[in-house]
Amino acid sequence: MALYGKMMDRPLLVSAILEHGADQFGQQEIVSRETHGPLHRITFAEVAQRSKKLANALAKLGLKPGSVVGSIAWNNARHVELYYGVSGSGLVMHTCNPRLHPEQLAYIINHAEDEVVFFDSTFAPLIKAIASHCSKVKHWICLSDQANTPQVDGVVIQNYEDFIAPHSAVFAWPELDEKSGAALCYTSGTTGNPKGVLYSHRAITLSALSACLPNVLTISSQETVLPVVPMFHINAWCLPYACVIAGAKLVLPGPKLDGASLYELMEAEKVTISAGVPTIWMGLIAHCEQHNLRFSTMRRTGVGGSAMPKALIAKFNDVYKVDVHHGWGMTETTAIATMSNISNHEMDWPVEEQHNLVAKQGKSVFGVELKIVDEEGNTLPRDGSTQGELMVRGQWIVEHYHKAEKTALVNGWFPTGDIATISPDGVMQIRDRTKDVIKSGGEWISSIDLENATIAHPHVAMAAVIGVKHPKWDERPLLLIVPKPEKSLEKQEVMDFLAERVAKWWVPDEVIFVESLPVGGTGKVQKNDLRVKYGSIFTE
Ligand code: AMP
């Protein structure tokens, strides 16, 4: 028989994160831009008290352990209180993506069986559109005070401040099983209905601890962290938990995600670390370039969600003196699964090569294992050039989708749908999504590599590449470009630029200049929309 260790068996719980933050860093601040009014400041100790008032208020509604509570909200302080008050009291925090189509939003609220939904006043029109389709929701509560709570025709709306006000700030967090569900997030659902991922307390705690590590985001009580990544999508990469574990000041941008507003907030609150998707950083850098601005305190940014172009990494590093930590993860991985880093033996590499390394998605963080497989499921070599489907496993990777009968795993690994290479020393590079990869004359073309090469052109603001049906080659790449304001670009100029950077046969057959690209709820270009619009241009 195994000889067991004689250690305490204490559960890893979301409520324990809050209690730790309040006890050890009670005066640390959460600063948030609210939908109404000036910046709002609150301490960890106050958040703990208000989360307990919320827990008492929810208990009074008669919700049972495991009942689901929805949120449709920006990154703000009341949303943080929901994260802790809901999960801490044994209920499930279902964060809903407000940028989903209303039909999909109603679908996920019904599928999750939300009984209460908290929302920011911005989303009142959305509540009007979906309320009559969400029969299980008994309470719609606006994350606001009485004065700023909108009327919604035909829906009874309460306001958050009045909802929690009468209740005690004393609440004994239940000692839950750490494997019980704490938070629920649905995948973006580019095909079919969104699928729910139910994160356990254990998965969230381990993933949040990992986010603090030096090779991940280096979060400590010396840092001020601005998560632009939405709290409605993959728990804002667990940063609202990680910052409370580490005692870092948390700055939340609310609804204002444009470059000017983010820059102003970063400077005013002395932000040192931020995290977001590349499209957000493009807006921020465009603002800095236009007004010739530099960051006084920001020195590190975590980026992921889609590939970070090398040109932007170089700009952050060389011009703005900000280190880029480029990571990869998905709804199914709770938060960050891999992160790029420069190790000691790479410190004296030429800068260009270091940027190449950071442009890859990096090494898996402890707790996550990676491999790539071929179509038959055979493991492929880690040689940096063989491509295969990326498979992951680990302590905070999904096993079953919410309410699904069948496992999501194949032989114990989760198939990600991403095509990747892994180098002998473990550096993973995403080459494409299985459905985005372009197969031309039987050979693969990486849409990500083509987009990265295009974005390096100084007149290009955004670029997207899709595979389009072709009578001879099966598929050929089509390139869509949003030029920078007041910059002109010719098709031939782009083709020549790319011909110097990628294999000749990769150069797209057509370049279309557009004013904007469709960007989805999580900041990714909606390639499905582009495929619908342009999918037959080579066969018409
Ligand atoms: P979601 O579950 O909506 O967050 O989408 C996850 C997907 O986003 C992954 O499967 C990847 O296809 C993509 N993704 C996330 N991070 C990156 C990255 N750093 N580079 C390229 N693709 C990424």
Side-chain angles (χ1 to χ4, degrees), residues 482-496:
V482 182
K484 283 195 176 155
E486 290 151 36
K487 301 282 184 203
S488 66
L489 259 178
E490 294 295 327
K491 178 170 148 185
Q492 195 53 49
E493 186 188 341
V494 175
M495 302 268 202
D496 294 346

Side-chain angles (χ1 to χ4, degrees), residues 188 233-234 303-307 326-332 361 416 418 430 433 448 522 524:
S188 317
H233 186 58
I234 331 184
V303 58
S306 52
H326 181 200
W328 169 91
M330 53 199 310
T331 310
E332 290 86 341
Q361 283 71 10
T416 65
D418 284 334
I430 299 284
R433 292 285 301 162
I448 294 186
T522 54
K524 293 180 226 276

Side-chain angles (χ1 to χ4, degrees), residues 53-63 91 139 163 166-167 171:
K53 284 164 93 70
L54 170 66
N56 277 318
L58 289 167
K60 191 86 190 292
L61 296 182
L63 300 183
L91 308 171
H139 305 274
F163 179 65
H167 296 281
F171 183 87

Side-chain angles (χ1 to χ4, degrees), residues 248-497:
K249 176 175 163 183
L250 194 55
V251 180
L252 302 170
K256 290 198 172 170
L257 305 179
D258 60 287
S261 305
L262 289 176
Y263 180 81
E264 185 196 302
L265 194 57
M266 285 169 172
E267 289 297 299
E269 293 303 322
K270 300 191 168 51
V271 168
T272 57
I273 302 177
S274 57
V277 294
T279 38
I280 289 285
W281 298 147
M282 286 177 198
L284 179 66
I285 292 298
H287 173 75
C288 292
E289 281 179 343
Q290 203 179 352
H291 301 277
N292 198 19
L293 302 168
R294 292 290 181 278
F295 302 107
S296 332
T297 51
M298 231 251 290
R299 55 177 185 271
R300 201 172 305 127
T301 183
V303 58
S306 52
M308 178 73 162
K310 188 180 143 197
L312 202 55
I313 294 170
K315 208 167 265 180
F316 261 114
N317 260 284
D318 305 345
V319 182
Y320 294 95
K321 309 297 173 208
V322 173
D323 274 346
V324 176
H325 289 222
H326 181 200
W328 169 91
M330 53 199 310
T331 310
E332 290 86 341
T333 66
T334 309
I336 301 162
T338 74
M339 192 56 91
S340 65
N341 271 291
I342 310 282
S343 297
N344 47 8
H345 63 281
E346 294 147 355
M347 299 280 273
D348 53 2
W349 279 14
V351 172
E352 169 92 14
E353 277 184 50
Q354 290 183 340
H355 294 163
N356 282 336
L357 187 59
V358 175
K360 296 177 182 172
Q361 283 71 10
K363 294 173 188 267
S364 69
V365 298
F366 176 72
V368 176
E369 294 168 74
L370 306 178
K371 68 173 181 178
I372 47 172
V373 297
D374 65 15
E375 278 162 19
E376 279 81 48
N378 303 308
T379 302
L380 293 168
R382 288 161 54 119
D383 58 11
S385 59
T386 306
Q387 298 188 19
E389 182 173 14
L390 181 65
M391 312 285 283
V392 286
R393 72 175 178 193
Q395 284 100 2
W396 55 85
I397 310 296
V398 72
E399 184 184 86
H400 272 76
Y401 286 106
H402 188 42
K403 296 186 177 171
E405 276 171 19
K406 285 206 316 231
T407 174
L409 309 187
V410 178
N411 299 326
W413 292 74
F414 176 73
T416 65
D418 284 334
I419 304 289
T421 54
I422 304 179
S423 73
D425 61 350
V427 175
M428 187 273 286
Q429 182 176 14
I430 299 284
R431 312 296 299 213
D432 238 319
R433 292 285 301 162
T434 37
K435 58 188 182 308
D436 289 344
V437 76
I438 301 161
K439 206 157 190 192
S440 176
E443 298 289 339
W444 302 108
I445 297 178
S446 158
S447 65
I448 294 186
D449 286 0
L450 270 178
E451 286 158 9
N452 273 339
T454 311
I455 206 89
H457 192 290
H459 293 184
V460 173
M462 279 179 89
V465 173
I466 54 167
V468 170
K469 277 239 152 305
H470 189 279
K472 179 164 177 199
W473 300 110
D474 188 19
E475 270 188 343
R476 287 296 298 156
L478 165 71
L479 169 60
L480 294 119
I481 292 181
V482 182
K484 283 195 176 155
E486 290 151 36
K487 301 282 184 203
S488 66
L489 259 178
E490 294 295 327
K491 178 170 148 185
Q492 195 53 49
E493 186 188 341
V494 175
M495 302 268 202
D496 294 346
F497 182 81

